[in-house]
């Protein structure tokens, strides 16, 4: 009986055809023209805001590049990844939505899929590195104190190498990039898992190394940070002003990192769930109209980061100016006395 079941599964995998092979034109839009126009306007707004916001972060950081702390260098790298997604990727999808079909063929589809996966993986691994930096700085001061600028640049080289490797692996014959079910965008070929055991192994490797493992590291780091901050708040109050100011700055950077990670995961988790279901659930069981929503939500992730960074930065500046005023008042009272 087991042999018959395995033969049945093997035959079903061989017979399965993904959506882009079932139809003569896989790049024709499966949405209404009105829905494509709305999605095109949505992505245009997202692309403009993301380009301006991340460009501003990179420009302002370049003016003080020699004073950037390791965590801030990582934030700049995150802005570079988000700007790359906006400049390299979004014009392809915007033009295709307004054209009511993917107009760049298979070569353009593979390039778009590669670029989206490359910059998306780079963003997530950058946030993983930031969370580890925050974890060491807050929870293990003996290790965190030796993390300098040159360590951050070494980490950047590792991040870009990691993202390049996993984004390029599909071109080696173990995976592929393919059109989305709605036709006007392209992504990693999640549907390979329905076709063969090798496809399942490839998709599982991608899920573990490019989603589950980095996310687990991020969650672990910030849970430990929250517990540490709760237990050490009273201790910091007894230190001198210089140590307190350093602690405030570290916490400001930690808040930025936590909010950026939360925004990224909130934007990408629905897309990851739909992709996993497409890979391992019932073939073609995700409705086409439903599959486009997580995709559009994921494409908005690049817009959140500069907003979060500037809001926290302005709030920190206000608190810092208030603290300076208090110190000035204390000094004037001492002089009058």
């Amino acid at each position: 009986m087991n042999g018959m079941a395995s033969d049945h599964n093997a035959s079903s995998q061989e017979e399965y055809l993904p959506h882009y092979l079932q139809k003569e034109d896989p790049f024709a839009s499966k949405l209404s023209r009105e829905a494509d126009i709305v999605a095109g306007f949505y992505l245009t707004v997202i692309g403009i805001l993301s380009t301006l916001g991340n460009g501003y972060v990179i420009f302002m950081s370049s003016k003080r590049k020699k004073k950037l702390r390791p965590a801030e260098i990582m934030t700049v790298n995150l802005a570079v990844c988000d700007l790359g997604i906006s400049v390299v990727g979004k014009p392809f999808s915007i033009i295709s939505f307004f054209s009511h079909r993917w107009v760049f063929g298979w070569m353009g589809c593979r390039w778009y899929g590669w670029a989206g996966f490359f910059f998306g993986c780079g963003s997530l691994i950058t946030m993983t590195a930031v969370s580890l930096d925050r974890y060491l700085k807050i929870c293990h001061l003996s290790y965190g104190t030796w993390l300098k600028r040159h360590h951050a640049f070494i980490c950047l080289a590792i991040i870009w190498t990691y993202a390049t490797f996993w984004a390029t692996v599909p071109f080696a014959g173990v995976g592929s990039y393919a059109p989305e079910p709605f036709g006007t965008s392209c992504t990693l070929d999640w549907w390979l898992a329905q076709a063969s055991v090798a496809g399942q192994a490839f998709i599982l490797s991608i899920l573990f190394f490019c989603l589950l493992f980095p996310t687990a590291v991020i969650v672990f780091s910030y849970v430990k940070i929250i517990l540490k901050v709760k237990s050490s708040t009273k201790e910091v109050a007894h230190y001198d002003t210089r140590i307190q100011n350093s602690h405030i700055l570290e916490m400001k950077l930690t808040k930025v990192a936590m909010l950026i990670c939360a925004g990224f995961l909130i934007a990408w988790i629905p897309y990851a769930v739909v992709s996993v279901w497409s890979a391992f659930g019932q073939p073609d069981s995700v409705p086409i109209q439903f599959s486009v929503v997580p995709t559009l939500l994921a494409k908005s992730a690049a817009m959140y980061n500069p907003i979060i960074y500037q809001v926290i930065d302005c709030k920190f500046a206000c608190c810092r100016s208030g603290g300076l005023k208090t110190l000035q008042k204390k000094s004037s009272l001492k002089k009058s006395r």
Side-chain angles (χ1 to χ4, degrees):
M1 293 293 291
N2 293 334
M4 293 176 62
S6 61
D7 291 341
H8 176 73
N9 292 333
S11 62
S12 63
Q13 286 184 338
E14 291 175 359
E15 292 172 0
Y16 172 73
L17 285 177
H19 62 275
Y20 53 85
L21 295 179
Q22 294 174 5
K23 300 175 179 63
E24 294 182 0
D25 187 1
F27 298 123
S29 176
K30 311 305 185 297
L31 304 175
S32 65
R33 186 171 293 275
E34 292 77 13
D36 277 336
I37 292 174
V38 171
F41 275 116
Y42 169 81
L43 289 180
T44 301
V45 173
I46 293 295
I48 292 173
L49 293 177
S50 175
T51 301
L52 293 176
N54 289 291
Y56 176 76
V57 171
I58 295 171
F59 172 73
M60 294 302 295
S61 300
S62 66
K63 296 175 68 174
R64 50 185 295 267
K65 56 186 176 182
K66 293 183 179 180
K67 297 181 180 179
L68 292 176
R69 301 161 68 90
E72 293 174 312
I73 292 173
M74 292 297 168
T75 302
V76 174
N77 189 64
L78 187 61
V80 171
C81 292
D82 292 338
L83 186 64
I85 292 175
S86 302
V87 173
V88 176
K90 281 190 173 60
F92 285 80
S93 55
I94 290 171
I95 293 172
S96 296
F97 273 113
F98 282 126
S99 301
H100 196 50
R101 63 173 288 108
W102 179 262
V103 296
F104 301 100
W106 277 103
M107 288 295 294
C109 181
R110 294 186 179 99
W111 161 251
Y112 178 84
W114 181 89
F117 189 29
F118 172 73
F119 287 115
C121 182
S123 295
L124 183 57
I125 303 304
T126 299
M127 287 185 285
T128 305
V130 170
S131 68
L132 285 174
D133 173 77
R134 297 293 84 210
Y135 170 69
L136 292 174
K137 286 286 177 67
I138 302 297
C139 300
H140 298 282
L141 294 177
S142 58
Y143 294 101
T145 53
W146 62 265
L147 290 173
K148 306 300 181 183
R149 283 169 57 92
H150 66 276
H151 294 113
F153 290 115
I154 293 173
C155 190
L156 290 184
I158 296 173
I159 290 169
W160 288 110
T161 302
Y162 192 93
T164 301
F165 172 79
W166 285 108
T168 310
V169 161
F171 294 127
V174 296
S176 182
Y177 294 100
E180 299 266 16
F182 50 88
T184 47
S185 181
C186 292
T187 184
L188 191 71
D189 192 349
W190 300 100
W191 302 271
L192 284 173
Q194 298 281 357
S196 66
V197 176
Q200 292 177 358
F202 168 71
I203 295 300
L204 287 173
S205 299
I206 290 291
L207 286 172
F208 179 79
F209 289 104
C210 299
L211 179 63
L212 297 179
F213 179 69
T215 302
V217 172
I218 291 171
V219 172
F220 169 81
S221 298
Y222 289 125
V223 168
K224 297 294 286 186
I225 287 172
I226 291 171
L227 295 176
K228 180 67 176 179
V229 168
K230 285 185 176 181
S231 63
S232 63
T233 302
K234 294 181 180 180
E235 297 176 7
V236 176
H238 298 291
Y239 295 151
D240 58 34
T241 305
R242 182 178 61 84
I243 295 177
Q244 289 182 11
N245 290 338
S246 177
H247 179 75
I248 291 173
L249 179 57
E250 294 294 345
M251 292 311 302
K252 173 245 181 179
L253 294 173
T254 303
K255 288 179 181 179
V256 170
M258 290 178 69
L259 287 175
I260 286 175
C261 290
F264 184 91
L265 294 176
I266 290 171
W268 278 97
I269 282 177
Y271 179 78
V273 170
V274 171
S275 299
V276 170
W277 183 257
S278 299
F280 299 101
Q282 292 296 321
D284 305 323
S285 59
V286 179
I288 292 177
Q289 291 76 10
F290 178 76
S291 66
V292 70
V293 176
T295 302
L296 295 178
L297 179 62
K299 293 180 186 299
S300 68
M303 181 187 68
Y304 305 146
N305 298 340
I307 297 174
I308 293 170
Y309 187 80
Q310 292 304 316
V311 168
I312 297 293
D313 199 46
C314 291
K315 182 179 178 181
F316 176 73
C318 292
C319 295
R320 184 169 52 190
S321 63
L324 287 174
K325 290 179 181 178
T326 304
L327 290 175
Q328 289 173 355
K329 288 181 180 179
K330 288 184 178 179
S331 60
S332 63
L333 285 174
K334 287 183 179 178
K335 288 180 180 179
S336 64
R337 287 174 183 173

